[in-house]
Amino acid sequence: MRFETRAIHAGQSPDPSTGATIPPLYLSSTYTQAAPGKHQGYEYSRSGNPTRANLEESLASLEGGEECATFSSGLAASSALLDTLQPGDGVVASHDLYGGSFRLLDKVFRPLGIEVAFAESAETDAYEQALRHLKRPRLLWLETPTNPLLDIVDIAGVSNLAASNGLLTAVDNTFASPYLQTPIALGADYVVHSTTKYLGGHSDVIGGAVIARTHALLERVRFLQNARGAVPGPLDIYLVQRGIKTLPVRMQRHCENALSLARFLENHSAVRRVIYPGLESHPAHALASRQMHAYGGMLTLELNGGLDAAVAFCSNLHVFSLAESLGGVESLCCHPATMTHASIPKDLREPRGITDGLVRLSVGLEHIEDLTFDLQQALDSTIGAARY
Ligand SMILES: *Cc1c(COP(=O)(O)O)cnc(C)c1O
């Protein structure tokens, strides 16, 4: 079945005992046994819960993997996957990584004896270079599009590189969602999600997931899901599952609105550059066109007036809210230099392209005319701010 159909029906069969079209939520923490050890597959909800099993079936189907384990947050999901490594094992990670993932590798797993090397760019060659710094590489960890510079990593290229060295590839697919790209089909072994973002889609729940190409690849992650215990609750799962049903229509509109705003911004004199993989001016536009069905709802711009212009712009938006996070129905604006990436010193940030004039937009589902007008009036105010 096609993606739109699976988004609604995978893991969502009507309840056999009542016919309820929407499967009921199982809030129970425990399950009554007929005799010791005689149960119907569930004993205790940290180890297994029918509502969670439904979401895991749904996500495995959408990503084209054999099995999925869900978690209480995206970082709990990433943690469980990294926890499958042994001290002395090495990870190569993307250069432009989600801040929380960087912190997890650098401040949690490094001290536990995991070696970490960073690819210096989005090029597959950079991953190959980074591999050479590791004594015992095991896993390549990538994000694409990256945050906030929206670089595109060649998933098939990096997965190939990993496979030919006997290594595993994990892709954090949070920015694209499975509607726009399915890394397992391109050769990846694992997909990681913050379901907090596009999958939930309404900025009202925190959650995460690991999807594996094969059952065997998920075995240790499944063990850790129970042993470490960072499982999602049924009410949170319900919100994610509800969001998934409209993922295809939401993503279509996110992409349409973002492309339209990118073109508008490209022609505004207050803007130095617009970064959006759907623009022909994006250096990896051709690669994005090959590996993604469309270009996503994230859009980054750099203002001519630097910090003052960025602060004026962000403060003068009315429809866009100034807030971290992304992927919800409402449009958000973020100033990486002072918000999401403030912990990176300026002399490291600037050469990587995260300048003071950079602004990241999560383009929502409001009417395109209201969004365009909001950007227009906020840009006009920055020109004023620079002039006086
Ligand atoms: C938000 C995010 C995460 C972390 O997810 P949480 O649900 O906040 O723990 C990981 N990767 C990316 C790309 C994200 O945007």
Side-chain angles (χ1 to χ4, degrees):
M1 277 196 280
R2 303 294 292 264
F3 190 94
E4 288 78 356
T5 314
R6 286 182 281 126
I8 293 169
H9 294 293
Q12 290 292 288
S13 307
D15 177 36
S17 61
T18 61
T21 305
I22 301 305
L25 300 190
Y26 289 87
L27 300 169
S28 191
S29 60
T30 190
Y31 301 81
T32 300
Q33 309 194 2
K38 199 162 170 243
H39 54 75
Q40 300 176 49
Y42 295 98
E43 295 159 88
Y44 183 64
S45 274
R46 170 165 36 71
S47 322
N49 169 287
T51 303
R52 193 169 89 212
N54 288 346
L55 176 63
E56 291 174 347
E57 185 182 337
S58 165
L59 286 169
S61 168
L62 295 184
E63 285 289 356
E66 282 185 0
E67 202 172 333
C68 166
T70 51
F71 293 88
S72 52
S73 72
L75 285 178
S78 303
S79 247
L81 183 49
L82 291 167
D83 233 350
T84 63
L85 301 173
Q86 300 294 322
D89 285 351
V91 182
V92 171
S94 287
H95 64 304
D96 193 21
L97 208 62
Y98 174 71
S101 307
F102 176 81
R103 183 177 55 203
L104 188 61
L105 286 166
D106 192 47
K107 297 277 198 301
V108 178
F109 283 95
R110 240 178 196 158
L112 292 173
I114 304 297
E115 271 200 294
V116 186
F118 293 95
E120 285 193 350
S121 75
E123 302 294 321
T124 305
D125 283 353
Y127 286 79
E128 192 162 16
Q129 292 286 339
L131 266 182
R132 300 202 187 120
H133 297 293
L134 298 174
K135 284 193 276 304
R136 206 169 79 208
R138 287 264 292 135
L139 181 67
L140 303 192
W141 184 285
L142 64 96
E143 266 175 44
T144 178
T146 67
N147 174 28
L149 295 170
L150 306 178
D151 274 340
I152 305 293
V153 181
D154 182 351
I155 297 173
V158 172
S159 301
N160 243 323
L161 169 72
S164 61
N165 286 280
L167 313 174
L168 296 166
T169 307
V171 178
D172 181 336
N173 205 23
T174 301
F175 264 44
S177 90
Y179 181 68
L180 297 183
Q181 94 193 349
T182 44
I184 289 173
L186 297 168
D189 299 290
Y190 293 103
V191 170
V192 177
H193 272 289
S194 167
T195 55
T196 311
K197 314 294 166 56
Y198 287 107
L199 288 162
H202 295 73
S203 306
D204 54 7
V205 61
I206 301 276
V210 177
I211 298 105
R213 188 164 49 75
T214 65
H215 293 297
L217 282 168
L218 202 81
E219 208 178 300
R220 181 72 184 166
V221 176
R222 178 70 76 200
F223 170 81
L224 289 164
Q225 181 192 36
N226 181 44
R228 294 279 205 195
V231 293
L235 298 170
D236 285 354
I237 290 169
Y238 173 71
L239 290 172
V240 174
Q241 188 79 67
R242 179 187 248 251
I244 286 173
K245 295 180 187 185
T246 55
L247 178 71
V249 283
R250 284 187 288 108
M251 287 317 292
Q252 279 177 5
R253 182 61 64 83
H254 280 298
C255 294
E256 257 174 54
N257 280 355
L259 181 61
S260 171
L261 293 183
R263 293 206 195 288
F264 163 75
L265 290 166
E266 251 191 337
N267 293 313
H268 198 288
S269 61
V271 178
R272 177 169 300 162
R273 65 179 174 142
V274 181
I275 309 172
Y276 184 66
L279 291 176
E280 292 73 13
S281 60
H282 190 288
H285 176 65
L287 172 59
S289 304
R290 271 204 311 282
Q291 86 183 6
M292 303 174 78
H293 301 304
Y295 307 97
M298 301 304 294
L299 163 59
T300 297
L301 61 142
E302 189 177 8
L303 293 163
N304 276 323
L307 184 62
D308 291 348
V311 169
F313 177 73
C314 293
S315 314
N316 282 306
L317 288 165
H318 304 305
V319 180
F320 283 81
S321 306
L322 182 59
E324 295 184 11
S325 198
L326 60 121
V329 295
E330 61 288 307
S331 291
L332 303 180
C333 150
C334 154
H335 183 235
T338 57
M339 296 169 69
T340 50
H341 292 66
S343 61
I344 309 176
K346 186 166 172 159
D347 54 327
L348 290 180
R349 230 191 323 110
E350 293 260 345
R352 284 176 41 192
I354 306 172
T355 58
D356 285 347
L358 208 72
V359 175
R360 187 190 82 180
L361 303 178
S362 172
V363 179
L365 308 185
E366 298 91 343
H367 197 284
I368 188 61
E369 283 175 16
D370 293 328
L371 294 177
T372 311
F373 180 76
D374 198 33
L375 295 186
Q376 169 90 59
Q377 61 80 23
L379 286 170
D380 292 347
S381 74
T382 73
I383 295 174
R387 200 181 300 137
Y388 303 110

